[in-house]
Amino acid sequence: MATTSFHRYAVVSLLMIFFIQPSISIYCDEDDCYDLLGVSQNANASEIKKAYYKLSLKHHPDKNPDPESKKLFVKIANAYEILKDEATRGQYDYAIEHPEEVFYNTARYYHAYYGHKTDPRAVLVGLLLILSAFQYLNQWTRYHQAIDMVKRTPAYKNKLKALELERTGALSSKKKGGYKLDKKTQEELSKELELQIKGAEKPSMWGLLAVRFILLPYTLGKLVLWHGSWYWRYKINRTSYSWEDASYLTRRALGAPPDSWEYLDESTKKDLINRRLWVKSNLEIYLAEMRKESKRRR
């Protein structure tokens, strides 16, 4: 039992040495900030200032060429920077009284030391760049994973075979399964096939957060101009909707994503637009017809 207690005491002692001491020494290294200025912990701001000026005149490199004096001057200046500010001095006093709160004391020190020195704009730019890098890497990974999955499907392999037959002029009457492409040919032909997979599109620089943020004024200006033009044409002048605007209104009324709308054939689009579904009564009639048709198919 005595040996176990001794071991526990030794572990606690090591933790005190390696973790608790650094939480205080981050301010003035191994020295005490008050001792460096030759003042007590109860000294007021005026006494700290007088002590600093007195020591700085004595140890300033222009007054004292001694290398050790130069090192001491740096320490004195650092101690004064900490003690002259009420906030950092309060944090230092708290660290002295509560040395066991290692992480809390360390976090407060670095926040006070770097917080006012860092330009918020630089932080914002750095954050956007980091998020954009992760965004691009994530999209690139998803895109290649989707491409790899598609390339394993029989439909994709059949497309490659059809493309090879078209290029070489080979007869399409060969036996099914008897025509195989070597790996090199597959790689060459796959470059000619444009694969667009919904939900895993090829990453683009224009979709990154950083680029969108830079273009935000342009985007907002374009949006305001678009709404103003819309209001002028259709609210004031009462002109008929163009095909593009009617498509937009129809898609919005149906709640369809842009990609889903683009996949529709032109005849279906034309039929939906002619129904003027952006009018509430027309939309209700259309939805009722769809529900009725769905029940009939069941």
Side-chain angles (χ1 to χ4, degrees):
M1 290 293 293
T3 304
T4 304
S5 300
F6 175 76
H7 286 164
R8 289 179 179 175
Y9 177 77
V11 171
V12 172
S13 300
L14 288 174
L15 290 174
M16 292 285 288
I17 293 172
F18 288 106
F19 290 99
I20 293 180
Q21 182 63 24
S23 70
I24 302 175
S25 63
I26 56 177
Y27 288 90
C28 293
D29 296 328
E30 69 279 1
D31 301 304
D32 183 282
C33 295
Y34 291 102
D35 291 344
L36 286 171
L37 295 179
V39 296
S40 66
Q41 192 172 350
N42 297 323
N44 57 38
S46 178
E47 292 172 340
I48 291 174
K49 188 175 182 180
K50 288 179 181 178
Y52 167 68
Y53 281 133
K54 181 179 179 180
L55 292 171
S56 63
L57 289 174
K58 179 180 178 182
H59 297 285
H60 196 280
D62 294 340
K63 302 289 185 180
N64 194 335
D66 185 6
E68 294 299 324
S69 184
K70 181 179 179 180
K71 294 179 181 179
L72 182 58
F73 174 78
V74 173
K75 292 183 177 182
I76 292 170
N78 177 62
Y80 178 65
E81 288 295 322
I82 292 170
L83 299 181
K84 75 175 183 178
D85 184 82
E86 292 185 4
T88 54
R89 181 181 179 182
Q91 293 174 8
Y92 179 64
D93 291 341
Y94 186 89
I96 293 175
E97 296 174 3
H98 303 86
E100 73 282 357
E101 300 182 19
V102 182
F103 299 107
Y104 177 71
N105 292 329
T106 305
R108 292 182 72 194
Y109 167 78
Y110 284 109
H111 180 269
Y113 187 78
Y114 291 105
H116 66 282
K117 295 184 178 182
T118 305
D119 190 342
R121 293 171 295 182
V123 175
L124 178 61
V125 172
L127 181 62
L128 285 173
L129 290 176
I130 293 173
L131 291 177
S132 297
F134 278 108
Q135 180 187 5
Y136 188 85
L137 181 62
N138 178 58
Q139 291 179 356
W140 188 261
T141 303
R142 288 177 55 194
Y143 172 73
H144 278 280
Q145 287 177 345
I147 292 295
D148 290 339
M149 290 179 64
V150 170
K151 287 184 176 180
R152 296 192 188 102
T153 61
Y156 177 79
K157 294 178 180 179
N158 291 335
K159 286 184 178 181
L160 289 181
K161 291 179 182 179
L163 183 59
E164 173 64 6
L165 293 173
E166 181 182 344
R167 287 176 52 182
T168 59
L171 297 177
S172 59
S173 60
K174 293 187 176 182
K175 292 183 179 180
K176 187 177 181 181
Y179 184 73
K180 293 184 179 180
L181 298 174
D182 58 83
K183 189 174 181 180
K184 183 179 179 181
T185 305
Q186 287 185 16
E187 292 177 355
E188 292 177 355
L189 294 175
S190 62
K191 295 178 182 179
E192 300 183 24
L193 290 177
E194 289 291 335
L195 293 177
Q196 293 295 333
I197 304 171
K198 185 179 178 181
E201 293 79 9
K202 191 174 183 179
S204 171
M205 296 295 293
W206 298 106
L208 298 180
L209 290 174
V211 177
R212 288 188 176 184
F213 181 79
I214 294 173
L215 297 177
L216 183 60
Y218 168 77
T219 304
L220 292 176
K222 188 177 179 180
L223 186 62
V224 171
L225 182 63
W226 183 83
H227 278 285
S229 176
W230 183 284
Y231 187 82
W232 174 262
R233 283 182 293 171
Y234 304 126
K235 297 296 183 181
I236 297 179
N237 291 337
R238 302 290 182 177
T239 58
S240 300
Y241 290 117
S242 65
W243 173 264
E244 291 78 11
D245 293 337
S247 298
Y248 166 74
L249 289 173
T250 305
R251 180 176 61 79
R252 190 178 68 171
L254 293 172
D259 292 341
S260 299
W261 178 260
E262 291 298 326
Y263 290 147
L264 292 176
D265 58 89
E266 293 300 319
S267 61
T268 304
K269 289 182 182 178
K270 187 175 180 180
D271 178 64
L272 292 173
I273 291 173
N274 290 334
R275 284 174 171 266
R276 298 175 61 86
L277 297 179
W278 54 88
V279 179
K280 186 176 180 181
S281 57
N282 295 340
L283 179 62
E284 290 175 351
I285 294 173
Y286 173 76
L287 293 177
E289 291 177 358
M290 291 298 100
R291 286 193 291 268
K292 185 177 180 180
E293 179 65 19
S294 177
K295 290 180 180 180
R296 186 185 67 81
R297 291 180 179 179
R298 291 177 188 174

